[in-house]
Amino acid sequence: MGCGPSTDIQPELMGKSEKLMKAAVLIQKWYRRYTARLEARRRSTWRIFQSIEYAGEQDQLKLYNFFNDMLHHLPPSDQNKQTGATVITDHFSAQDTVNEENELLSVANPDNVRVESSYRGPRLSFPINRTQLERMVDAFKSNQMLHAKYLMELLHNTRKAMKTLDNINRVSLSMTKHVTICGDLHGKIDDLFTIFYKNGLPSDSNSYIFNGDFVDRGPNSVEIAALLFACFLVYPNHVYINRGNHEDHIMNIR
């Protein structure tokens, strides 16, 4: 008849507490090993992805260095004392350009494509203006498609305009004071809509630079390319489109 602890119950309680502690330690060890394996798997996957992603860029860089060194070692032309690089550049820019344009028109002439009477998507007329650009944005938001005729006309006009540009273009902030730089859209048109929603469409006071990789992977590569090309045609001095490694047919057929 006392108030002291019972000697019969205390060992049983101690046994239960020890079992609980051991179970907690085992669960903790298992969880730590599991998270460590997940982290090792994540790092390995990332390394594999990086090696695949940048393998094409490294190959292109090696090819560029090879041809660059070869052109620098070509002897000057005897006729006009031009370097070999200048002679080759002039040849491609003059003779082959005309043949290439004619060949493109023979296989992809927009005049040979008829627009069906049932077509309800956006219609383009060139030179394209801001109103048509806004209609394209609204149409793509509604999951409408741009007719092949207008897409071909857009591509031909964009190609002609881009061939007049230098390889390196400088962006001036003297008038706009700011520029929006975008990269890696990868066919995700919702990301482009979000950018336009937050920063506004391109304009004379709202310049954009799209730093490549706007196609491939996502489901809306064609729509993104069409919108960027339309922005460029409307504001050629305020929209800059740089080619990424995914803007290449070899990369896209992998």
Side-chain angles (χ1 to χ4, degrees):
M1 298 286 303
C3 296
S6 174
T7 55
D8 296 335
I9 302 176
Q10 187 68 17
E12 183 179 354
L13 293 176
M14 289 295 294
K16 288 184 178 180
S17 63
E18 288 179 359
K19 290 180 180 180
L20 290 175
M21 287 297 296
K22 289 181 179 180
V25 171
L26 287 175
I27 294 174
Q28 187 180 49
K29 288 182 179 180
W30 174 87
Y31 179 74
R32 287 178 177 176
R33 286 197 297 266
Y34 175 74
T35 54
R37 286 196 297 267
L38 283 182
E39 179 64 18
R41 186 181 302 174
R42 186 192 67 82
R43 293 185 181 185
S44 300
T45 304
W46 178 247
R47 291 193 186 99
I48 294 173
F49 171 79
Q50 281 187 319
S51 62
I52 296 174
E53 176 76 6
Y54 299 114
E57 293 183 359
Q58 296 298 324
D59 293 340
Q60 292 176 3
L61 180 61
K62 292 177 181 179
L63 191 63
Y64 166 80
N65 292 333
F66 169 75
F67 281 111
N68 191 44
D69 293 339
M70 184 182 69
L71 291 176
H72 280 299
H73 287 84
L74 285 177
S77 174
D78 295 334
Q79 296 179 354
N80 49 15
K81 301 302 180 181
Q82 290 179 313
T83 63
T86 307
V87 173
I88 294 176
T89 303
D90 291 343
H91 174 74
F92 280 105
S93 61
Q95 178 182 354
D96 289 357
T97 300
V98 177
N99 297 334
E100 190 175 321
E101 292 290 341
N102 294 333
E103 183 179 354
L104 282 175
L105 285 176
S106 65
V107 297
N109 192 342
D111 296 334
N112 297 332
V113 181
R114 185 178 63 88
V115 180
E116 300 81 3
S117 58
S118 59
Y119 175 69
R120 296 294 181 267
R123 297 175 182 269
L124 304 181
S125 59
F126 295 87
I128 191 173
N129 55 37
R130 184 180 178 87
T131 302
Q132 296 180 80
L133 172 61
E134 293 174 349
R135 289 175 181 171
M136 284 183 61
V137 173
D138 293 338
F140 289 157
K141 285 182 179 180
S142 302
N143 295 323
Q144 294 182 359
M145 296 181 63
L146 183 65
H147 196 277
K149 176 183 178 66
Y150 302 123
L151 181 60
M152 291 165 62
E153 289 180 340
L154 180 65
L155 294 176
H156 280 294
N157 281 272
T158 303
R159 186 174 185 275
K160 290 179 182 178
M162 285 189 171
K163 287 183 75 69
T164 63
L165 301 177
D166 296 329
N167 288 334
I168 299 177
N169 296 276
R170 299 184 180 275
V171 181
S172 175
L173 300 180
S174 59
M175 297 295 292
T176 60
K177 305 300 182 183
H178 73 278
V179 61
T180 302
I181 302 176
C182 308
D184 293 340
L185 290 170
H186 280 303
K188 299 177 182 177
I189 199 167
D190 289 336
D191 292 349
L192 182 61
F193 289 153
T194 302
I195 293 171
F196 285 160
Y197 174 77
K198 291 184 176 181
N199 299 279
L201 286 174
S203 65
D204 293 333
S205 58
N206 192 23
S207 298
Y208 274 85
I209 297 176
F210 295 96
N211 263 337
D213 288 359
F214 43 85
V215 301
D216 203 5
R217 295 181 181 168
N220 300 110
S221 296
V222 175
E223 289 84 353
I224 287 182
L227 282 179
L228 298 189
F229 293 158
C231 291
F232 167 73
L233 290 178
V234 177
Y235 301 103
N237 297 322
H238 299 280
V239 174
Y240 303 86
I241 302 177
N242 294 323
R243 175 182 171 273
N245 66 309
H246 282 265
E247 281 72 56
D248 184 87
H249 71 284
I250 297 179
M251 180 66 68
N252 279 270
I253 63 178
R254 289 183 177 180

